Amino acid sequence: MYEEITKFGRNEPCSCGSGKKYKKCCMNKKAHGTQEDDFTLNNDFIIDNQISDYGIPEINDAFFDKNPFKEISAAKFLCFSLVEPGLDITAANLVKQFTSRSEAEEKRIKETNDITELLKIMRAYPDTLNQRLLVSKILQYKDAAIPTIIDELKHTNNNAFTELAIKILYETKNEYPHEVLKLIKLPVRNPYTLSSLCLLLGLIGYKEALKTLWDCYHFLKERFPRESFAQGPLLGLYELYEKGYGNTENDKYNSR
């Protein structure tokens, strides 16, 4: 990792295209182990075992009364950005009137048709002003990009990459839920990624994920009691409940 830091002069423009000097951009990210393909996780936030079976889901009003949503959580913010993408676009357009900091990166995204280059930008903490553009561009090559993205979600420690991946997968709606469900069952190593994937499956209404989201909620709540990771599957369960999916016993009965 540290050998990469010497490839660029500290005061040279950063290779990611941000327009910043290397010392004020990716050098700092690399030095802290959060850039590109460095997937070293903090031992306190690693999922290194299979998720337990927490029994038959009991999804009803009483469950949500006993397990309330937190007023502020990363899952809530991510959920809002998924269901209201227009607000992200409006905010980005307003900010662009007052700054040019994202122009070099924006040009890279617009000019390249190389999916490898687009994924490289995606991993490199792209400017928030360019994220909607990047998502739209990657979706043009989704058949090539998404298998790579899903595979990378198994072990990434880059939460910005995870959030962009969730936005890309959400835009495809029901094209890849089976692959995402398989990914959750591995499970992924990063609890934030696991939380976000659970939220995604709930939002797209993938009822086959009900039991998995139930297990993930209880697992994350027990394993990380001081964090808000469990809010992702909790929101996902609520979305499924709102769509009319109750516990698995009722689903089996109704399908007869």
Side-chain angles (χ1 to χ4, degrees), residues 151-205:
D151 185 66
E152 198 156 322
L153 286 170
K154 295 175 186 176
H155 47 71
T156 185
N157 191 33
N158 183 334
N159 289 347
F161 176 90
T162 292
E163 290 177 1
L164 284 169
I166 297 299
K167 291 178 181 180
I168 290 167
L169 289 165
Y170 182 74
E171 292 292 332
T172 68
K173 299 303 181 185
N174 284 310
E175 292 186 46
Y176 300 92
H178 181 66
E179 290 81 355
V180 172
L181 186 57
K182 285 175 61 178
L183 179 62
I184 291 176
K185 289 181 177 181
L186 286 175
V188 296
R189 284 166 57 81
N190 187 335
Y192 179 68
T193 300
L194 176 62
S195 174
S196 301
L197 291 168
C198 289
L199 170 63
L200 170 68
L201 289 178
L203 285 172
I204 64 176

Side-chain angles (χ1 to χ4, degrees), residues 5 55 94 105 108 141 170 188 202 211 217 224 231 250-251:
I5 297 177
L94 286 172
E105 184 181 75
R108 284 179 69 200
Y141 308 96
Y170 182 74
V188 296
K211 172 68 165 104
Y217 170 67
F224 306 101
Q231 292 292 297
N250 287 339
D251 283 349

Side-chain angles (χ1 to χ4, degrees), residues 16 19 37 46 70 87 106 115 122 190 213 215 240 250:
C16 77
D37 293 323
I46 290 178
K70 292 186 177 181
L87 294 179
E106 180 182 18
I115 189 60
M122 182 176 168
N190 187 335
L213 267 59
D215 289 339
L240 291 178
N250 287 339

Side-chain angles (χ1 to χ4, degrees), residues 4-243:
E4 294 186 39
I5 297 177
T6 63
K7 291 182 180 180
F8 304 97
R10 288 169 52 84
N11 293 309
E12 293 180 10
C14 188
S15 63
C16 77
S18 66
K20 302 176 184 178
K21 291 182 179 180
Y22 183 58
K23 67 182 180 182
K24 293 185 177 181
C25 192
C26 290
M27 186 182 84
N28 184 54
K29 295 173 185 175
K30 289 178 184 290
H32 287 84
T34 57
Q35 180 71 6
E36 295 293 336
D37 293 323
D38 177 20
F39 300 114
T40 303
L41 299 178
N42 182 325
N43 287 333
D44 292 334
F45 297 107
I46 290 178
I47 298 172
D48 53 8
N49 60 308
Q50 292 295 317
I51 295 171
S52 301
D53 183 343
Y54 288 89
I56 297 173
E58 297 180 7
I59 311 299
N60 48 42
D61 289 339
F63 168 74
F64 292 108
D65 288 341
K66 293 178 181 177
N67 299 274
F69 301 107
K70 292 186 177 181
E71 290 186 12
I72 299 176
S73 70
K76 266 196 173 181
F77 284 118
L78 179 57
C79 181
F80 187 72
S81 70
L82 292 173
V83 300
E84 298 289 347
L87 294 179
D88 282 351
I89 296 171
T90 300
N93 289 335
L94 286 172
V95 173
K96 283 184 178 180
Q97 297 178 27
F98 305 101
T99 180
S100 61
R101 71 176 189 267
S102 64
E103 289 181 355
E105 184 181 75
E106 180 182 18
K107 183 178 179 181
R108 284 179 69 200
I109 296 170
K110 287 182 175 179
E111 291 183 352
T112 186
N113 294 312
D114 182 354
I115 189 60
T116 300
E117 178 67 11
L118 290 169
L119 292 176
K120 183 178 180 180
I121 297 170
M122 182 176 168
R123 297 184 191 103
Y125 299 83
D127 195 302
T128 54
L129 300 179
N130 293 324
Q131 289 185 7
R132 177 50 50 181
L133 173 64
L134 180 60
V135 167
S136 298
K137 191 67 178 282
I138 289 176
L139 283 169
Q140 295 177 25
Y141 308 96
K142 62 182 181 181
D143 291 342
I146 288 180
T148 300
I149 290 171
I150 289 176
D151 185 66
E152 198 156 322
L153 286 170
K154 295 175 186 176
H155 47 71
T156 185
N157 191 33
N158 183 334
N159 289 347
F161 176 90
T162 292
E163 290 177 1
L164 284 169
I166 297 299
K167 291 178 181 180
I168 290 167
L169 289 165
Y170 182 74
E171 292 292 332
T172 68
K173 299 303 181 185
N174 284 310
E175 292 186 46
Y176 300 92
H178 181 66
E179 290 81 355
V180 172
L181 186 57
K182 285 175 61 178
L183 179 62
I184 291 176
K185 289 181 177 181
L186 286 175
V188 296
R189 284 166 57 81
N190 187 335
Y192 179 68
T193 300
L194 176 62
S195 174
S196 301
L197 291 168
C198 289
L199 170 63
L200 170 68
L201 289 178
L203 285 172
I204 64 176
Y206 192 54
K207 67 178 182 178
E208 289 81 357
L210 181 66
K211 172 68 165 104
T212 299
L213 267 59
W214 172 265
D215 289 339
C216 286
Y217 170 67
H218 289 91
F219 171 80
L220 290 171
K221 186 179 179 181
E222 287 184 4
R223 180 72 180 273
F224 306 101
R226 297 183 180 180
E227 307 299 328
S228 62
F229 300 130
Q231 292 292 297
L234 183 62
L235 284 165
L237 286 169
Y238 183 76
E239 290 294 328
L240 291 178
Y241 180 57
E242 285 288 284
K243 292 175 173 63

